[in-house]
Amino acid sequence: MFTVHRYQIFPTIPPELAPLVTIAQNLWWTWTPAARELYWRVDAELYERVAHNPILLLQLASQRRLDELARDDGYLRALSAVERSLRDYLDRSTWFDRKYGKNAASRGTVAYFSMEFGVHECLPVYSGGLGVLAGDHLKSASDLGLPLVGVGIAFSQGYFRQSLDIEGWQNERYPPNDWHDLPVSPVNDEKGRRVFTSVELPARGEAARREVKLQAWRAQVGRVPLYLLDADIPENPPEDRALTNTLYGGDRAHRICQEVLLGVGGVRLLSALAEEPRVCHMNEGHSAFLALERVRQIMARTGAPFVVASEAAAAGHVFTTHTPVPAGNDAFAHDLALPYLKVLGEGLGLGAEEAMRLGRVDPDRPGSEFSMPVLAIRMADRYNGVSMLHGREARAMWSVLWPGLPASEIPIGSVTNGVHVPTWLDGDLASLYASYLGPDFLERAAEPGVWAKIAEIPDEVLWAAHIRRKERLVKQIRARLAVLSAQKGRAEDPARIERLLDPKALTIGFARRFATYKRGTLLLRDAARLARILHEPHRPVQLVFSGKAHPQDWGGKELIRDIVRAGMAEPFRGRIVFVEDYDMGVARTLVAGVDVWLNTPRRPLEASGTSGMKAGLNGVLNASILDGWWPEGYAGDNGFSIGRGEEYADTGHGDHVEAQALYRLLEEDIVPLYYERDTAGLPRSWIARMKRSIATIGPAFNTTRMAREYAEMYYEPALERHRRMTEDGLLAARAVCEWKARVRAAWGSVRVDSVAQLGPSRLPSGEPLRVAAEIHLGVLSPGDVVVELHYGRPGPNGALRGAEGASMRHASDLGGGRHRFEGEIPTHESGEHAFGVRVIPAHESLPDRFAARLVRWH
């Protein structure tokens, strides 16, 4: 025997094909069909095998094929056109330039922090909706020209790949990411040297702390750079190199370390790159430690005390919460968090327990857990949920942080999520839409008038395009099943695979993270009734499921197992299919290829849910509980609602009621409507709903609209307030802090002594109710407060329904710190009404009227 020495040969890229490498390094290609077509033409089978990764494709392609393409005039013309399109995209005028002026970006950068980013399946640093939303946010920020950078983590193994055993139980595997094979580049300085930063963590041994060094990789997303932090470097010991190994993996200690790396390390990396952001947007609470690092930097730079530096830093912080489910909000036990807060607190002049107070729901409750969303809210000036309904739930969930305020007035707003249209709209449909909506419709995606022209597409043309997508879906599922079966060593009968799914049958899709509250098996509650629906003569129905459960979510894994088992048994064999290893590539196929997109969460636990938006863009009809975005999207004729927005305290009863409602919806509405055909074989009424789905969902639920709202409602005000708070040696921040300290010190003596109605309690409509109140302000002046009339319809437990506010004017100084205020309540609607009087601190530099978090009621 002789020794075998292995080696690998990479192809040489011919000079004529050099633009293929340049284009691959900008993830703009992921939402540009002509660019993706270039890589598919190199080797379609290989392109699929490498998860549509153009860098790896070019490394593994045969030299013969590359040389052929270098001599192919048609291919070279297409390559030149795509290269020119990329240059034009990067150079063209943008919405941001037109709205704020060419030099507006000089006012400051926005840094968007997220634990995960779903830009494309070839960059596996995402798990699901949160990451895909973050990726879509970057893409639309690029399209709009927002001065934004992304900050995340370069997970060496990414999120897990899913494999189902013969019983349908989910198993996880973590293939390593080789960053040299991905469309990223190392972050270097101007001399080509690697840029490093570091964070301090509690030590494992005798020392007080340990230093973890970080390098970074840069993924270019159009105009937007995305920096991914990486601890897997030789300078770190093995246990610290593993801190950036897996997304949402490891124990709680591992998790809090990752969140320190993201927040603190991310801010320090941007400082090392001289990309000092004025605004930091925290996409969920995972990155909230960034607030403490920014305060530390301001303190070190200016010598300001913590309270002043935190006022200045908060002006530039935006926090988006993504879940009303308590388990989705990261919180750490006191004993676990304390060592980390001790290290972080030292740079802030705070003891460990003082720093812990910043993240406790009740700061004065020693030993309670440390909440990352609470830290984010306390250290930010602006906060939002991700749908109107979720905004309501977030206000109720976090009302404890604004004691004395009705939940409806908690200053947590909402920006409803959207999706990046060029990424999620099927390429063939995009071409079809462009023929009727205009070639620039993607750039005008947020304009309702553009999408209204969908009605002009002939029914037969739209339906033919839809049928082609269904046929492609069935073909791809069959091919995927064959490949996965071969990989597992299971010999599948080719004839059985070819019988799997019917492209002519009504096809319902359900694909998302398998959390128990999403109720993926709601349709299986009555197997006999479901079987009748699926097998009704001449009106067949089939179900396609996909999705992953968190590795520690045993309930979610059981849901997957139950679906797989149902699909393997009669009478559901061939009618229920579970597609393994859900990722963005699978999602694109599903949201474009099914007829109905099913969503069955327990209201109000779905914060937003963007998969239905993707489906709606493609003419797929949503059938959903009225939760998340769907109460805003449902128009009666653009999809279907399951129930009417009921909420059930008894979840078992609610599941039963809504399962029955879903069966009735299928039997009485969805199935008959789909199979109602005219003499041309077209389901005219169904197609009409498809057009309404596209026309209503397209303009309202895209990230162009969403990113504009963030820019106008959050980023620009934050940029301006941060500028005011930090200029002139933090003069404005110091003034606000001094004012707050004076108000808080005097607030104990503020009271409403009396309230009097000036006139009868029974009034004719239109005649205002006049009210006077005597307020004891003590040492405070009337200019320090706003006295308000809070009025509305009487509700339960003393609350007011539909409450509004009217400011009272200062009428006279009564002496001794007492003042008289007078005001009026307009009267329009008859019936019983009620009011209260309250005093709120007021200062022109506050970001919102309740920012002082003090209120005194009568």
Side-chain angles (χ1 to χ4, degrees):
M1 294 293 293
F2 58 89
T3 302
V4 175
H5 301 276
R6 298 182 181 274
Y7 60 97
Q8 191 169 4
I9 298 175
F10 293 101
T12 299
I13 306 296
E16 296 86 350
L17 301 184
L20 284 175
V21 179
T22 303
I23 295 165
Q25 290 290 349
N26 191 316
L27 289 157
W28 167 87
W29 64 263
T30 66
W31 68 90
T32 307
R36 297 196 302 272
E37 175 79 7
L38 290 175
Y39 299 110
W40 182 84
R41 287 175 65 181
V42 172
D43 187 328
E45 182 181 346
L46 178 59
Y47 190 47
E48 291 294 326
R49 202 163 68 240
V50 298
H52 307 148
N53 178 351
I55 298 296
L56 198 53
L57 170 81
L58 295 176
Q59 290 181 5
L60 299 179
S62 74
Q63 187 68 56
R64 177 182 299 175
R65 179 56 180 157
L66 294 177
D67 291 340
E68 286 176 358
L69 291 173
R71 297 189 298 270
D72 186 330
D73 291 339
Y75 186 86
L76 294 178
R77 281 194 297 272
L79 175 58
S80 179
V82 170
E83 184 184 26
R84 190 164 52 251
S85 294
L86 175 56
R87 286 199 306 269
D88 292 345
Y89 173 84
L90 297 176
D91 293 340
R92 75 186 184 200
S93 173
T94 66
W95 170 84
F96 188 84
D97 294 335
R98 293 189 294 272
K99 184 173 180 66
Y100 297 106
K102 278 285 187 180
N103 297 322
S106 64
R107 296 176 58 196
T109 300
V110 176
Y112 184 90
F113 284 71
S114 182
M115 185 62 80
E116 50 175 302
F117 284 91
V119 180
H120 189 262
E121 60 268 23
C122 76
L123 188 60
V125 291
Y126 67 95
S127 70
L130 177 72
V132 173
L133 183 280
D136 283 6
H137 191 115
L138 298 194
K139 293 171 186 176
S140 281
S142 170
D143 294 340
L144 294 169
L146 302 187
L148 186 140
V149 301
V151 181
I153 291 182
F155 295 102
S156 59
Q157 296 176 329
Y159 203 53
F160 70 89
R161 304 296 299 272
Q162 180 192 60
S163 178
L164 303 181
D165 65 21
I166 198 167
E167 292 294 319
W169 191 257
Q170 173 181 290
N171 294 290
E172 299 87 29
R173 54 190 176 85
Y174 295 87
N177 287 329
D178 187 336
W179 294 97
H180 299 283
D181 293 342
L182 298 177
V184 299
S185 57
V187 175
N188 298 331
D189 63 18
E190 65 280 358
K191 295 182 178 179
R193 298 170 303 193
R194 205 64 191 262
V195 173
F196 292 94
T197 189
S198 64
V199 300
E200 297 79 34
L201 296 175
R204 294 189 173 90
E206 296 295 325
R209 63 179 64 190
R210 71 188 196 272
E211 182 182 46
V212 178
K213 291 189 176 181
L214 298 166
Q215 63 180 9
W217 302 87
R218 174 175 172 146
Q220 191 66 34
V221 186
R223 298 177 177 86
V224 173
L226 168 59
Y227 297 108
L228 300 171
L229 297 155
D230 181 9
D232 187 15
I233 55 179
E235 290 84 350
N236 292 325
E239 58 271 24
D240 287 341
R241 296 182 68 165
L243 290 177
T244 55
N245 56 3
T246 57
L247 174 60
Y248 305 140
D251 58 15
R252 301 301 292 168
H254 190 83
R255 183 72 162 261
I256 195 172
C257 286
Q258 287 187 335
E259 299 191 356
V260 173
L261 296 189
L262 175 61
V264 177
V267 171
R268 291 183 181 178
L269 174 71
L270 294 178
S271 296
L273 296 173
E275 290 208 36
E276 298 282 0
R278 282 195 177 272
V279 174
C280 286
H281 185 170
M282 295 172 270
N283 188 43
E284 203 43 277
H286 308 123
S287 61
F289 286 129
L290 72 82
L292 302 184
E293 174 60 17
R294 294 192 84 204
V295 172
R296 185 197 68 78
Q297 290 187 359
I298 291 173
M299 293 173 68
R301 187 168 62 247
T302 66
F306 173 79
V307 65
V308 173
S310 61
E311 185 75 37
H317 292 158
V318 175
F319 169 57
T320 298
T321 174
H322 282 266
T323 176
V325 181
N329 290 282
D330 265 0
F332 300 100
H334 172 271
D335 290 348
L336 171 60
L338 191 64
Y340 295 89
L341 272 299
K342 181 178 186 297
V343 172
L344 291 168
E346 288 175 2
L348 305 171
L350 302 178
E353 285 293 343
E354 288 181 286
M356 284 286 293
R357 289 170 57 88
L358 298 171
R360 289 181 184 147
V361 172
D362 180 354
D364 298 320
R365 186 182 164 202
S368 56
E369 65 183 10
F370 185 90
S371 165
M372 297 298 285
V374 169
L375 175 65
I377 291 171
R378 283 223 174 91
M379 301 297 291
D381 276 356
R382 289 171 172 79
Y383 349 81
N384 69 282
V386 290
S387 69
M388 292 176 65
L389 179 59
H390 178 231
R392 183 200 78 179
E393 292 302 303
R395 288 189 287 275
M397 174 180 283
W398 301 116
S399 61
V400 65
L401 302 180
W402 283 267
L405 271 187
S408 61
E409 293 192 287
I410 301 302
I412 297 176
S414 64
V415 176
T416 300
N417 281 344
V419 298
H420 186 245
V421 177
T423 294
W424 296 105
L425 180 60
D426 176 80
D428 292 340
L429 274 184
S431 298
L432 174 61
Y433 291 4
S435 300
Y436 292 87
L437 277 58
D440 64 342
F441 84 96
L442 290 174
E443 298 171 28
R444 302 167 59 206
E447 299 177 23
V450 172
W451 294 89
K453 295 181 181 179
I454 285 290
E456 299 176 9
I457 300 177
D459 287 357
E460 60 273 18
V461 173
L462 183 60
W463 186 247
H466 178 65
I467 292 302
R468 287 194 297 272
R469 298 199 311 276
K470 284 185 69 175
E471 291 170 345
R472 187 175 63 197
L473 169 68
V474 170
K475 181 179 179 181
Q476 290 185 357
I477 290 176
R478 290 171 178 171
R480 189 178 182 89
L481 177 62
V483 169
L484 288 172
S485 298
Q487 290 175 349
K488 296 176 183 179
R490 302 176 194 162
E492 285 284 350
D493 179 5
R496 191 189 80 80
I497 291 178
E498 285 303 310
R499 291 193 301 271
L500 187 69
L501 300 178
D502 178 358
K504 297 180 181 178
L506 171 62
T507 304
I508 299 173
F510 181 101
R512 52 188 40 86
R513 181 169 58 90
F514 267 79
T516 51
Y517 77 86
K518 294 178 183 285
R519 300 188 296 185
T521 57
L522 191 67
L523 259 179
L524 302 182
R525 287 178 67 90
D526 187 338
R529 190 171 181 181
L530 178 61
R532 290 195 298 272
I533 293 171
L534 300 191
H535 290 279
E536 187 175 350
H538 310 298
R539 301 199 305 189
V541 179
Q542 56 198 10
L543 307 174
V544 178
F545 291 87
S546 191
K548 297 175 179 178
H550 187 280
Q552 276 80 54
D553 185 357
W554 305 108
K557 290 184 176 184
E558 288 173 357
L559 295 179
I560 293 174
R561 182 195 59 191
D562 292 345
I563 293 169
V564 174
R565 284 181 172 179
M568 293 190 298
E570 296 297 342
F572 300 129
R573 186 184 296 274
R575 297 284 178 160
I576 296 180
V577 174
F578 192 96
V579 181
E580 279 184 53
D581 205 21
Y582 188 52
D583 65 8
M584 291 179 70
V586 174
R588 283 195 303 273
T589 302
L590 289 177
V591 297
V594 299
D595 298 298
V596 174
W597 195 257
L598 182 63
N599 189 31
T600 53
R602 288 194 184 100
R603 179 181 162 117
L605 300 183
E606 182 84 280
S608 178
T610 55
S611 62
M613 303 173 188
K614 299 161 189 167
L617 284 175
N618 288 284
V620 174
L621 300 186
N622 279 273
S624 176
I625 299 292
L626 285 169
D627 197 8
W629 74 284
W630 194 227
E632 299 169 60
Y634 180 56
D637 60 353
N638 64 344
F640 308 92
S641 72
I642 304 168
R644 299 175 182 173
E646 299 87 351
E647 296 175 17
Y648 299 90
D650 182 339
T651 58
H653 174 65
D655 291 352
H656 171 76
V657 170
E658 292 181 333
Q660 298 304 310
L662 177 53
Y663 292 134
R664 286 194 301 273
L665 181 65
L666 288 168
E667 294 163 339
E668 299 172 11
D669 294 315
I670 294 177
V671 176
L673 189 69
Y674 181 81
Y675 283 104
E676 181 185 292
R677 308 295 170 103
D678 66 3
T679 55
L682 294 174
R684 298 284 184 180
S685 297
W686 187 275
I687 296 170
R689 285 198 181 225
M690 290 174 63
K691 290 182 177 181
R692 284 288 292 153
S693 173
I694 299 164
T696 55
I697 291 172
F701 299 98
N702 62 75
T703 43
T704 299
R705 183 271 313 156
M706 183 194 81
R708 282 184 182 182
E709 287 188 14
Y710 275 116
E712 295 171 338
M713 297 164 52
Y714 290 84
Y715 297 162
E716 278 301 305
L719 283 164
E720 178 58 28
R721 185 163 193 269
H722 186 267
R723 182 192 61 77
R724 292 200 314 270
M725 289 295 107
T726 54
E727 66 184 0
D728 298 328
L730 308 185
L731 184 64
R734 294 176 193 274
V736 171
C737 289
E738 290 169 2
W739 175 84
K740 283 184 176 180
R742 181 168 59 83
V743 168
R744 288 186 177 125
W747 198 249
S749 63
V750 173
R751 62 181 183 271
V752 181
D753 286 339
S754 66
V755 175
Q757 295 181 208
L758 305 179
S761 58
R762 292 174 58 84
L763 296 166
S765 177
E767 182 176 329
L769 174 68
R770 292 183 295 116
V771 179
E774 292 186 3
I775 312 293
H776 184 273
L777 295 179
V779 299
L780 298 181
S781 73
D784 289 323
V785 300
V786 168
V787 180
E788 281 190 342
L789 291 162
H790 183 76
Y791 61 93
R793 298 275 189 174
N797 303 318
L800 297 181
R801 292 182 288 110
E804 298 182 64
S807 295
M808 302 180 75
R809 65 186 177 278
H810 183 250
S812 60
D813 187 335
L814 303 176
R818 296 173 66 247
H819 300 264
R820 178 182 173 89
F821 288 80
E822 296 178 357
E824 294 182 346
I825 298 175
T827 61
H828 302 297
E829 298 181 359
S830 59
E832 186 179 17
H833 298 259
F835 74 91
V837 174
R838 66 186 180 189
V839 186
I840 304 166
H843 191 284
E844 63 179 4
S845 293
L846 294 180
D848 64 74
R849 52 204 296 260
F850 301 118
R853 304 194 186 188
L854 297 172
V855 62
R856 184 75 73 218
W857 292 88
H858 179 243

